[in-house]
Amino acid sequence: MVLTDKLGRTVNYLRLSVTDRCNLRCMYCVTKDFQFIPHPNILRYEEMLRLIDIASTMNIGKLRLTGGEPFARKGFMDFISNVMVQHPEMDLRITTNGTLIEPLVPDLKKLGVSRLNISLDTLDRATFKEVTGRDHLEDVLSTIHACLSAGIRIKINAVAMKGINDNELNSFIDFARENPLDLRFIEFMPMGDDTKSDSRFWSADDILEQGRKYAVLKKIQVKKENHGPARMYSIEGGKGRLGLISPVSSHFCSTCNRLRITSDGNLRTCLFSDRTYRLRNILRSPALGDDALRKVIAAATRDKPLGYHLLEQRSGCKGVCETQMSAIGG
Ligand code: SAM
């Protein structure tokens, strides 16, 4: 079974949030009044595995585990291992803040994890504390170096924010010049009252223009399955590359191939839509089997919206959607 929507888009990529808990409090991700999802509502790992089993029968070939902070959930390493054993065909990716995993790097390597996305919005300790509420910059940097030494490929995700990290572009480019990794800036998406600020928006085009003052950047063609919607640039004389992801200024809705499932089992077909399809009750109903889940997933996918239309309608609203990113998984 192949998942397609009314607009002819094929969906083959699932982002699964394993927890909404996180040890950081990033300013762009959590709102002041956020509330954790009650524990009983969080899917058990077996339930998540069942969803992955089902997804794999629906042509989903790429799976990203995210959060919250996925490594903050107990048993996450075993979960990765189970997913890898039961679904060796799945292109498995993980997004982490990198603060908790330096000691786990050898085990991750042994499990066969060959790449990680690590969020890092600043190379400055004080700014790191300001952005995340915690003093963990050194831990993240140690993790990055440990991964690179172990042969785990790294993509850095930095949320681009004027007045916060726009003065660090030169340092970031130096970092990517010296290290064999992909450094990708993601345009800031307002997510609610506390995160909304037009003055904070730093567009991908501005980053590119500024970046060209510090380095010779040449556009390179990359595979969509590896880089999603990122535009990638080589840095002359550098080991790493620069990437730009522009969900706001230059949407990529027409080629969107994603579904998201939150840790409490809500299926979301578009980051910019608050419409959710509740899978948890179906998962937990003894009377309903896998086919019931397949039906809901297929029907939801058919109605997958064009996010930029929703964004246009939301102009003047608090954010791009009503749910905070820490609960959706980015
Ligand atoms: N804890 C993990 C981490 O820090 O990478 C995974 C969860 S985090 C929600 C996933 C991604 O969402 C991160 O790369 C983060 O940069 C991105 N993100 C969160 N809020 C965002 C926002 N308002 N605008 C743009 N990107 C955002």
Side-chain angles (χ1 to χ4, degrees):
M1 180 191 226
V2 175
L3 281 171
T4 48
D5 71 3
K6 280 184 195 151
L7 304 168
R9 293 174 295 181
T10 299
V11 166
N12 52 17
Y13 175 19
L14 173 65
R15 296 175 66 101
L16 176 64
S17 171
V18 302
T19 178
D20 64 327
R21 267 57 171 185
C22 186
N23 58 327
L24 302 185
R25 295 286 177 270
C26 298
M27 51 165 63
Y28 48 76
C29 199
V30 281
T31 52
K32 275 186 206 134
D33 56 354
F34 80 96
Q35 285 187 335
F36 288 127
I37 298 168
H39 275 296
N41 292 353
I42 301 280
L43 297 187
R44 296 187 294 276
Y45 281 132
E46 310 87 77
E47 293 171 323
M48 291 185 178
L49 269 173
R50 184 170 160 211
L51 287 175
I52 296 168
D53 290 346
I54 291 170
S56 74
T57 66
M58 304 181 90
N59 196 43
I60 298 284
K62 179 171 173 181
L63 171 70
R64 179 171 299 285
L65 302 177
T66 176
E69 172 47 38
F71 288 92
R73 180 161 178 186
K74 224 171 134 194
F76 184 60
M77 289 292 276
D78 288 338
F79 180 61
I80 299 174
S81 171
N82 288 333
V83 173
M84 292 188 86
V85 169
Q86 291 178 34
H87 290 285
E89 81 292 351
M90 201 57 102
D91 177 1
L92 176 69
R93 315 283 176 110
I94 303 169
T95 301
T96 172
N97 62 33
T99 57
L100 305 168
I101 60 169
E102 206 236 85
L104 302 176
V105 169
D107 291 337
L108 283 168
K109 181 72 187 169
K110 263 190 232 149
L111 282 180
V113 172
S114 58
R115 52 181 107 206
L116 283 177
N117 282 20
I118 297 183
S119 300
L120 178 64
D121 308 308
T122 171
L123 296 166
D124 176 78
R125 186 172 169 188
T127 310
F128 189 96
K129 268 167 107 173
E130 186 190 346
V131 172
T132 69
R134 305 285 187 271
D135 186 14
H136 284 310
L137 175 63
E138 284 311 314
D139 299 321
V140 183
L141 293 175
S142 302
T143 296
I144 292 170
H145 292 303
C147 287
L148 292 176
S149 303
I152 296 179
R153 285 166 64 187
I154 295 297
K155 285 182 192 163
I156 305 281
N157 290 336
V159 178
M161 292 171 286
K162 266 205 181 139
I164 303 284
N165 57 8
D166 58 334
N167 59 344
E168 291 187 53
L169 186 54
N170 199 5
S171 316
F172 268 122
I173 290 178
D174 281 345
F175 191 67
R177 206 183 257 121
E178 286 155 20
N179 294 288
L181 45 75
D182 288 340
L183 178 85
R184 296 135 29 113
F185 281 98
I186 307 175
E187 283 176 352
F188 167 70
M189 292 175 279
M191 295 304 291
D193 263 344
D194 305 322
T195 63
K196 174 132 174 95
S197 164
D198 286 339
S199 59
R200 194 157 278 168
F201 185 69
W202 185 21
S203 76
D205 286 348
D206 283 353
I207 298 171
L208 182 60
E209 196 184 316
Q210 280 171 250
R212 290 202 149 121
K213 291 183 189 146
Y214 306 123
V216 177
L217 303 172
K218 283 208 185 107
K219 181 126 192 241
I220 41 184
Q221 294 303 326
V222 287
K223 286 187 188 154
K224 186 177 186 302
E225 58 267 33
N226 280 332
H227 292 276
R231 284 184 273 159
M232 296 301 300
Y233 296 84
S234 64
I235 301 170
E236 193 173 81
K239 296 179 186 163
R241 306 186 288 186
L242 181 73
L244 300 169
I245 303 177
S246 46
V248 180
S249 68
S250 163
H251 62 82
F252 24 80
C253 302
S254 64
T255 56
C256 182
N257 59 347
R258 305 166 177 205
L259 294 179
R260 293 175 167 82
I261 298 181
T262 58
S263 55
D264 52 348
N266 282 334
L267 173 69
R268 301 177 70 107
T269 56
C270 172
L271 188 58
F272 300 151
S273 166
D274 287 300
R275 178 149 191 205
T276 57
Y277 302 81
R278 283 177 284 174
L279 304 181
R280 190 180 68 244
N281 292 346
I282 309 176
L283 269 169
R284 293 184 177 173
S285 160
L288 297 171
D290 291 356
D291 276 344
L293 286 160
R294 275 195 202 92
K295 264 189 201 147
V296 174
I297 295 169
T301 303
R302 265 196 297 283
D303 280 342
K304 185 175 159 64
L306 271 180
Y308 73 93
H309 280 165
L310 302 174
L311 265 190
E312 279 164 11
Q313 287 158 21
R314 288 186 72 82
S315 62
C317 294
K318 288 193 281 186
V320 295
C321 66
E322 296 293 334
T323 314
Q324 58 180 21
M325 203 67 103
S326 60
I328 304 176

